[in-house]
Amino acid sequence: MTNPPSAPLSVIDICNLALAKLGEAPLLLLDPNGCPASRLCYLHYHPTRREVLVVNRWAFATTVATLHGNPPDATGYHNLVHTLPTDCLRVLEVNSPGWTLRGRSIFCPAATVRLRYIADVEDTTLFDPLFAEALATRLACKLCVPLTGSTTARQLLTEEYNRITLPSAAHFNAVQAHSNDEHPLHKLLNLSADRG
């Protein structure tokens, strides 16, 4: 049974949103040995979720960690090695100049660094509603040809994702990501008011 409209979306709800875009029947559960739609959702859901997480600075997925450096091994680098958290999908900021990302490690001279990053958020109750819609649309793109055989439908869904759902979700995420006094326009507005 799916959640009522007011409840947070579950994994199966997001998969069913994707299937609805393809005209497919909804699923009750994800089963790697089930019907084709179930198998494909099981296969593609998490990779697609990570893909959509990586492409934007989602407020709900942005987190901070303190990393402590270790001496370099035989890599030939002279900077300290800071291993990324296991849930880090994308590095956003490191509060140390001259840092370099290589594999799953940050190399820089600082003994301790503050890392801001996009985390691999799996809990759907934390998802922004527009992010969930973008994820469902992107998932529909992945499922389209295997389930419908239509490359035209996939192209239309890809255009919807690239031109509508993802930009809309990213825009409203950016709008709510800052308090009013931290928004980049705040200083400009204050300067204008002071000069007026």
Side-chain angles (χ1 to χ4, degrees):
M1 177 177 289
T2 59
N3 290 330
S6 60
L9 295 176
S10 65
V11 171
I12 195 67
D13 291 328
I14 294 170
C15 289
N16 283 334
L17 282 173
L19 292 172
K21 292 175 182 289
L22 303 176
E24 296 287 322
L27 301 172
L28 295 178
L29 55 86
L30 297 187
D31 182 356
N33 299 310
C35 67
S38 182
R39 293 197 306 270
L40 287 165
C41 285
Y42 183 89
L43 177 67
H44 287 286
Y45 174 78
H46 286 296
T48 306
R49 175 184 56 77
R50 293 184 186 101
E51 175 190 328
V52 181
L53 280 169
V54 164
V55 298
N56 190 59
R57 297 172 70 111
W58 305 108
F60 73 88
T62 301
T63 190
V64 174
T66 300
L67 308 182
H68 302 284
N70 296 306
D73 53 20
T75 57
Y77 296 103
H78 300 292
N79 290 326
L80 295 177
V81 181
H82 303 77
T83 303
L84 294 178
T86 56
D87 67 341
C88 177
L89 291 179
R90 174 184 170 194
V91 173
L92 298 177
E93 298 166 11
V94 179
N95 72 334
S96 175
W99 62 272
T100 303
L101 177 65
R102 298 197 182 277
R104 297 288 300 171
S105 297
I106 290 172
F107 292 79
C108 71
T112 302
V113 297
R114 185 172 179 268
L115 168 71
R116 185 181 300 274
Y117 67 97
I118 295 295
D120 188 5
V121 177
E122 294 188 41
D123 184 354
T124 59
T125 65
L126 301 177
F127 290 177
D128 180 291
L130 292 176
F131 169 85
E133 175 64 22
L135 172 54
T137 305
R138 187 60 182 153
L139 183 57
C141 296
K142 300 288 182 74
L143 304 178
C144 188
V145 172
L147 290 178
T148 70
S150 174
T151 56
T152 301
R154 180 179 62 185
Q155 182 179 355
L156 292 173
L157 283 165
T158 301
E159 289 178 4
E160 178 185 341
Y161 173 75
N162 289 329
R163 296 183 182 180
I164 302 172
T165 55
L166 182 62
S168 177
H171 169 75
F172 285 103
N173 175 79
V175 167
Q176 70 179 2
H178 299 281
S179 66
N180 291 336
D181 57 350
E182 291 177 342
H183 194 278
L185 291 177
H186 180 72
K187 290 182 180 179
L188 291 176
L189 294 172
N190 278 348
L191 286 174
S192 299
D194 292 340
R195 291 173 181 165

